[in-house]
PDB file of all heavy atoms in Angstrom:
ATOM      1  N   LEU A 298     -62.164 -38.694  36.009  1.00 95.00           N
ATOM      2  CA  LEU A 298     -62.613 -39.670  35.051  1.00 95.00           C
ATOM      3  C   LEU A 298     -63.974 -40.112  35.446  1.00 95.00           C
ATOM      4  O   LEU A 298     -64.242 -40.490  36.637  1.00 95.00           O
ATOM      5  CB  LEU A 298     -61.728 -40.836  34.864  1.00 95.00           C
ATOM      6  CG  LEU A 298     -60.283 -40.463  34.232  1.00 95.00           C
ATOM      7  CD1 LEU A 298     -59.366 -41.681  34.468  1.00 95.00           C
ATOM      8  CD2 LEU A 298     -60.437 -40.126  32.764  1.00 95.00           C
ATOM      9  N   ILE A 299     -64.955 -40.134  34.504  1.00 93.00           N
ATOM     10  CA  ILE A 299     -66.304 -40.621  34.763  1.00 93.00           C
ATOM     11  C   ILE A 299     -66.293 -42.235  34.713  1.00 93.00           C
ATOM     12  O   ILE A 299     -66.833 -42.874  35.503  1.00 93.00           O
ATOM     13  CB  ILE A 299     -67.353 -40.063  33.799  1.00 93.00           C
ATOM     14  CG1 ILE A 299     -67.174 -38.637  33.634  1.00 93.00           C
ATOM     15  CG2 ILE A 299     -68.790 -40.357  34.285  1.00 93.00           C
ATOM     16  CD1 ILE A 299     -67.826 -38.023  32.407  1.00 93.00           C
ATOM     17  N   THR A 300     -65.653 -42.612  33.687  1.00 93.00           N
ATOM     18  CA  THR A 300     -65.508 -44.104  33.446  1.00 93.00           C
ATOM     19  C   THR A 300     -64.104 -44.389  32.928  1.00 93.00           C
ATOM     20  O   THR A 300     -63.481 -43.441  32.343  1.00 93.00           O
ATOM     21  CB  THR A 300     -66.503 -44.606  32.359  1.00 93.00           C
ATOM     22  OG1 THR A 300     -66.170 -44.052  31.096  1.00 93.00           O
ATOM     23  CG2 THR A 300     -67.942 -44.428  32.647  1.00 93.00           C
ATOM     24  N   GLN A 301     -63.607 -45.548  33.075  1.00 92.00           N
ATOM     25  CA  GLN A 301     -62.344 -45.885  32.524  1.00 92.00           C
ATOM     26  C   GLN A 301     -62.171 -47.422  32.417  1.00 92.00           C
ATOM     27  O   GLN A 301     -62.776 -48.151  33.242  1.00 92.00           O
ATOM     28  CB  GLN A 301     -61.130 -45.339  33.375  1.00 92.00           C
ATOM     29  CG  GLN A 301     -61.114 -45.793  34.817  1.00 92.00           C
ATOM     30  CD  GLN A 301     -59.921 -45.279  35.507  1.00 92.00           C
ATOM     31  OE1 GLN A 301     -58.741 -45.510  35.083  1.00 92.00           O
ATOM     32  NE2 GLN A 301     -60.111 -44.615  36.626  1.00 92.00           N
ATOM     33  N   ASP A 302     -61.496 -47.868  31.339  1.00 91.00           N
ATOM     34  CA  ASP A 302     -61.028 -49.272  31.262  1.00 91.00           C
ATOM     35  C   ASP A 302     -59.581 -49.225  31.270  1.00 91.00           C
ATOM     36  O   ASP A 302     -58.934 -48.208  31.638  1.00 91.00           O
ATOM     37  CB  ASP A 302     -61.717 -49.991  30.077  1.00 91.00           C
ATOM     38  CG  ASP A 302     -61.323 -49.403  28.735  1.00 91.00           C
ATOM     39  OD1 ASP A 302     -60.248 -48.746  28.653  1.00 91.00           O
ATOM     40  OD2 ASP A 302     -62.122 -49.592  27.863  1.00 91.00           O
ATOM     41  N   SER A 303     -58.868 -50.255  30.728  1.00 87.00           N
ATOM     42  CA  SER A 303     -57.484 -50.321  30.837  1.00 87.00           C
ATOM     43  C   SER A 303     -56.759 -49.205  30.035  1.00 87.00           C
ATOM     44  O   SER A 303     -55.617 -48.917  30.437  1.00 87.00           O
ATOM     45  CB  SER A 303     -56.988 -51.782  30.445  1.00 87.00           C
ATOM     46  OG  SER A 303     -57.349 -51.997  29.133  1.00 87.00           O
ATOM     47  N   SER A 304     -57.315 -48.787  28.999  1.00 90.00           N
ATOM     48  CA  SER A 304     -56.564 -47.808  28.201  1.00 90.00           C
ATOM     49  C   SER A 304     -57.337 -46.541  27.921  1.00 90.00           C
ATOM     50  O   SER A 304     -56.685 -45.563  27.416  1.00 90.00           O
ATOM     51  CB  SER A 304     -56.077 -48.554  26.902  1.00 90.00           C
ATOM     52  OG  SER A 304     -57.166 -48.956  26.105  1.00 90.00           O
ATOM     53  N   VAL A 305     -58.606 -46.584  28.016  1.00 94.00           N
ATOM     54  CA  VAL A 305     -59.447 -45.412  27.555  1.00 94.00           C
ATOM     55  C   VAL A 305     -60.329 -44.895  28.814  1.00 94.00           C
ATOM     56  O   VAL A 305     -60.782 -45.736  29.558  1.00 94.00           O
ATOM     57  CB  VAL A 305     -60.316 -45.803  26.426  1.00 94.00           C
ATOM     58  CG1 VAL A 305     -61.184 -44.594  25.986  1.00 94.00           C
ATOM     59  CG2 VAL A 305     -59.463 -46.202  25.195  1.00 94.00           C
ATOM     60  N   GLY A 306     -60.369 -43.612  28.884  1.00 94.00           N
ATOM     61  CA  GLY A 306     -61.256 -43.043  29.984  1.00 94.00           C
ATOM     62  C   GLY A 306     -62.138 -41.988  29.331  1.00 94.00           C
ATOM     63  O   GLY A 306     -62.037 -41.612  28.176  1.00 94.00           O
ATOM     64  N   GLU A 307     -63.108 -41.612  30.172  1.00 95.00           N
ATOM     65  CA  GLU A 307     -64.039 -40.567  29.726  1.00 95.00           C
ATOM     66  C   GLU A 307     -64.095 -39.453  30.804  1.00 95.00           C
ATOM     67  O   GLU A 307     -64.163 -39.733  32.004  1.00 95.00           O
ATOM     68  CB  GLU A 307     -65.411 -41.247  29.517  1.00 95.00           C
ATOM     69  CG  GLU A 307     -66.254 -40.444  28.508  1.00 95.00           C
ATOM     70  CD  GLU A 307     -67.628 -41.178  28.301  1.00 95.00           C
ATOM     71  OE1 GLU A 307     -68.272 -41.506  29.257  1.00 95.00           O
ATOM     72  OE2 GLU A 307     -67.892 -41.494  27.089  1.00 95.00           O
ATOM     73  N   PHE A 308     -64.147 -38.231  30.413  1.00 95.00           N
ATOM     74  CA  PHE A 308     -64.287 -37.107  31.319  1.00 95.00           C
ATOM     75  C   PHE A 308     -65.057 -36.021  30.631  1.00 95.00           C
ATOM     76  O   PHE A 308     -65.403 -36.017  29.494  1.00 95.00           O
ATOM     77  CB  PHE A 308     -62.806 -36.523  31.675  1.00 95.00           C
ATOM     78  CG  PHE A 308     -62.116 -35.891  30.526  1.00 95.00           C
ATOM     79  CD1 PHE A 308     -62.179 -34.444  30.360  1.00 95.00           C
ATOM     80  CD2 PHE A 308     -61.434 -36.604  29.496  1.00 95.00           C
ATOM     81  CE1 PHE A 308     -61.487 -33.779  29.311  1.00 95.00           C
ATOM     82  CE2 PHE A 308     -60.795 -35.992  28.529  1.00 95.00           C
ATOM     83  CZ  PHE A 308     -60.848 -34.582  28.329  1.00 95.00           C
ATOM     84  N   LEU A 309     -65.486 -35.041  31.550  1.00 93.00           N
ATOM     85  CA  LEU A 309     -66.369 -33.970  30.928  1.00 93.00           C
ATOM     86  C   LEU A 309     -65.394 -32.873  30.465  1.00 93.00           C
ATOM     87  O   LEU A 309     -64.519 -32.404  31.213  1.00 93.00           O
ATOM     88  CB  LEU A 309     -67.217 -33.399  32.052  1.00 93.00           C
ATOM     89  CG  LEU A 309     -68.490 -34.256  32.354  1.00 93.00           C
ATOM     90  CD1 LEU A 309     -69.234 -33.582  33.498  1.00 93.00           C
ATOM     91  CD2 LEU A 309     -69.359 -34.407  31.191  1.00 93.00           C
TER      92      LEU A 309
END
Side-chain angles (χ1 to χ4, degrees):
L298 292 169
I299 314 163
T300 62
Q301 58 175 307
D302 62 25
S303 60
S304 62
V305 177
E307 205 176 53
F308 68 97
L309 283 179

